[in-house]
Amino acid sequence: NVKYQATPDLALRVGRIALPVFLAADYRKVGYTMAWVRPPVEVYGGLPIPSRDGTDATWRWGAGDTRHATQAFFGRTERHLYEDRRLEAHGIAGLSHSIEHGPLSARLSALTGHLTAGIGTEVFSAMGAFGPQGVALAERYAIAHKRVSMVSLGVSYDPGQWFLNAEAGHARTHSLLGTTSTMYAGGGYRFASLTPYLGWAKVRAHGATRDPGLPLAGLPPRLQAGAAALNAALNIYLGTIPIQTTLSAGLRWDLALDAALKVQYDRLLPTDGSRGTLINTPASFRSGQTVHVASLALAFVF
């Protein structure tokens, strides 16, 4: 992107820009900047649009020892999901306000846009052939020009020797992606080059995570099997709406001025028929069973 500093307090940008949502929006993919191996996926995975092509304006102002930054943004995005599936979002618009006061920082953000994604299109096209009820199901769940909206609030307190972070968000998609609330809290303590840390995160769904789908009663036998298969496929998609709680513990070792070695353990518990934030789950996976994840990462800057 290209930035133009119009005045000492006002900056304008145009190009591909990360969405200013959540505390670590500007650096969440730079692992060296964070104590943990990755940002909590329960919160940061809740936004299907990581960036946009467009413009923004940031006005920085102060009041005493408190610094403020108010940012307005607009744009659109298109990216590849998997195979031939793509995600498109247009009319992305929002506001973000950041506050810094000594060791305390906070960010409040809100955005909206229209989302289209090639997920489940073959299921919803087939459902439309089953009359008004099938059409209604397709219109309810298909991700086609559906409005997505999100609000988030994050707070960080870092006086140097220790730190605490907490964030919460609410996303509504009016589609198969569902409506979710997310939150996390974590902190750590710095002992010279070592930083042990703990974290807790949760994502929960509002609304349906299962649907009876097409009514099978009264259908000819040759159509019942097809309708049942479509209902099963619909509920597989609804099972991807994350419902999960995670406890994390880790240790960061700053082994050099520009490199850090991090080890982290996550205990995930997807519930209520959801596979949580997991992808590519094996046939043996069952919701409600604890999942253990161990991570080792070397983060460095150059």
Side-chain angles (χ1 to χ4, degrees), residues 2-274:
V2 177
K3 177 181 177 181
Y4 172 60
Q5 195 72 39
T7 72
D9 301 320
L10 177 64
L12 307 174
R13 290 189 299 178
V14 60
R16 180 159 297 174
I17 307 167
L19 285 173
V21 180
F22 305 124
L23 280 173
D26 300 328
Y27 55 85
R28 65 185 179 89
K29 293 191 176 183
V30 185
Y32 182 80
T33 63
M34 297 173 287
W36 28 76
V37 170
R38 66 188 69 85
V41 295
E42 289 80 3
V43 174
Y44 285 77
L47 182 63
I49 312 168
S51 64
R52 87 286 181 189
D53 297 333
T55 62
D56 71 0
T58 302
W59 177 42
R60 300 186 183 277
W61 51 287
D65 295 332
T66 304
R67 298 185 300 276
H68 299 262
T70 303
Q71 185 176 6
F73 53 92
F74 181 81
R76 67 180 308 278
T77 188
E78 180 178 347
R79 67 189 185 95
H80 176 262
L81 293 176
Y82 59 92
E83 297 177 351
D84 60 344
R85 314 291 179 163
R86 301 195 66 80
L87 178 147
E88 299 177 14
H90 64 276
I92 303 171
L95 286 170
S96 176
H97 183 74
S98 300
I99 302 173
E100 294 184 4
H101 182 86
L104 178 68
S105 60
R107 170 177 269 176
L108 174 64
S109 302
L111 68 83
T112 185
H114 288 86
L115 187 67
T116 298
I119 301 174
T121 52
E122 64 285 347
V123 173
F124 301 127
S125 297
M127 280 186 165
F130 283 82
Q133 291 174 310
V135 172
L137 285 169
E139 291 179 347
R140 178 180 179 184
Y141 291 117
I143 312 171
H145 307 290
K146 295 294 181 67
R147 178 171 292 279
V148 56
S149 57
M150 187 169 194
V151 294
S152 69
L153 172 64
V155 180
S156 174
Y157 189 80
D158 188 346
Q161 188 69 57
W162 54 275
F163 63 91
L164 291 173
N165 292 337
E167 293 191 70
H170 182 81
R172 185 176 179 88
T173 65
H174 302 277
S175 73
L176 184 67
L177 299 178
T179 299
T180 57
S181 292
T182 61
M183 61 203 78
Y184 88 85
Y189 196 90
R190 299 181 177 97
F191 298 92
S193 61
L194 298 178
T195 305
Y197 58 87
L198 297 171
W200 171 87
K202 184 178 182 67
V203 54
R204 60 190 181 96
H206 304 276
T209 56
R210 290 193 62 81
D211 195 295
L214 296 166
L216 304 182
L219 287 177
R222 63 184 180 84
L223 295 179
Q224 281 188 0
L230 291 174
N231 291 342
L234 172 62
N235 283 296
I236 288 174
Y237 281 120
L238 290 175
T240 65
I241 299 175
I243 305 173
Q244 177 176 295
T245 302
T246 300
L247 294 174
S248 303
L251 178 67
R252 170 181 173 135
W253 173 32
D254 286 277
L255 53 90
L257 181 64
D258 54 2
L261 183 66
K262 295 183 279 188
V263 59
Q264 181 170 311
Y265 165 74
D266 299 295
R267 181 184 183 275
L268 289 67
L269 182 61
T271 57
D272 300 318
S274 170

